[in-house]
Amino acid sequence: MDVFQQKKKSTGRKKIEIKKLVKDANKQVTFSKRRAGLFKKASELCILCNVQMAIIVYSPADKLFSFGHPNTEAIVSRYLNGSTEFEPAKTRGRSGTYEEYNREYDEAIKVLEAQKKKLAEIETLAKVWNRGEWWNESIDEMGADQLEQFMLSIYALRGKLAERADQFPMMFARL
């Protein structure tokens, strides 16, 4: 028998009987696969026929999934209002251009980087303090926040020492 004349060993795609699935695990797997296909077909229909569409689905695990073209909120509100006119959904109290959103994004990234830098400084300071030698560290390279924290720690230490000294009045003379 020739290599080209051999038959496939896999059964390929088969038509399945449509009936309610019994096992919960099978329901979830089937839902996940078919949901993706449903949303893909809906997207194709919207593009090919220039229609607006919304699909809202709850999974067997009671998670909400939705598809909407141009967006789900606009389609649902159009349906609930009984309107035949399409009104794009408002952008939740914000109107802006891509440039504004990009600017806001850039600002958020800068804030995030600053927070990461501050976290790194705090972690470094925490390592020093956890070694128990924080009083030996130079204060020349500390930032304002670190100096303030250092000062508060010194005052807290001073207060604890004073409390401890009050417990032993005969051993320590107060200055």
Side-chain angles (χ1 to χ4, degrees):
M1 200 172 187
D2 196 322
V3 176
F4 295 107
Q5 293 177 349
Q6 289 181 354
K7 291 196 174 205
K8 287 185 181 179
K9 292 186 180 186
S10 68
T11 56
R13 289 173 42 173
K14 289 183 178 179
K15 186 168 184 148
I16 64 165
E17 181 184 351
I18 302 297
K19 64 180 181 180
K20 187 173 181 176
L21 298 174
V22 180
K23 292 184 178 178
D24 288 339
N26 291 352
K27 287 179 187 177
Q28 186 62 40
V29 169
T30 301
F31 172 80
S32 296
K33 289 180 179 180
R34 291 196 173 232
R35 183 196 73 223
L38 174 66
F39 288 177
K40 182 179 178 187
K41 289 290 185 184
S43 174
E44 291 170 358
L45 182 63
C46 292
I47 293 168
L48 291 172
C49 301
N50 194 28
V51 296
Q52 292 90 35
M53 178 187 302
I55 301 173
I56 300 171
V57 185
Y58 281 94
S59 74
D62 284 334
K63 291 184 180 178
L64 175 68
F65 296 91
S66 66
F67 167 85
H69 179 78
N71 65 49
T72 307
E73 291 176 23
I75 302 299
V76 170
S77 61
R78 179 179 171 191
Y79 174 77
L80 292 174
N81 293 334
S83 171
T84 58
E85 294 296 317
F86 178 73
E87 296 177 19
K90 304 292 185 243
T91 56
R92 295 190 178 99
R94 294 174 50 176
S95 62
T97 62
Y98 289 113
E99 290 82 17
E100 290 175 7
Y101 292 128
N102 286 337
R103 183 183 45 76
E104 289 178 14
Y105 173 77
D106 290 339
E107 289 174 10
I109 291 295
K110 288 178 185 175
V111 169
L112 177 64
E113 291 301 322
Q115 292 295 329
K116 284 182 180 179
K117 185 177 179 182
K118 189 173 184 177
L119 177 63
E121 290 175 1
I122 290 171
E123 287 174 344
T124 302
L125 187 61
K127 286 178 186 176
V128 170
W129 285 38
N130 287 336
R131 284 195 315 246
E133 300 175 7
W134 54 269
W135 55 87
N136 289 330
E137 289 296 315
S138 171
I139 61 172
D140 296 334
E141 296 178 12
M142 289 186 185
D145 291 341
Q146 292 173 325
L147 284 170
E148 186 176 345
Q149 185 64 39
F150 185 77
M151 185 177 73
L152 292 173
S153 298
I154 294 290
Y155 285 135
L157 177 62
R158 181 177 162 195
K160 288 179 183 179
L161 288 173
E163 288 175 15
R164 192 77 169 142
D166 288 341
Q167 293 176 358
F168 302 102
M170 299 299 257
M171 296 178 80
F172 300 101
R174 292 217 34 130
L175 299 174

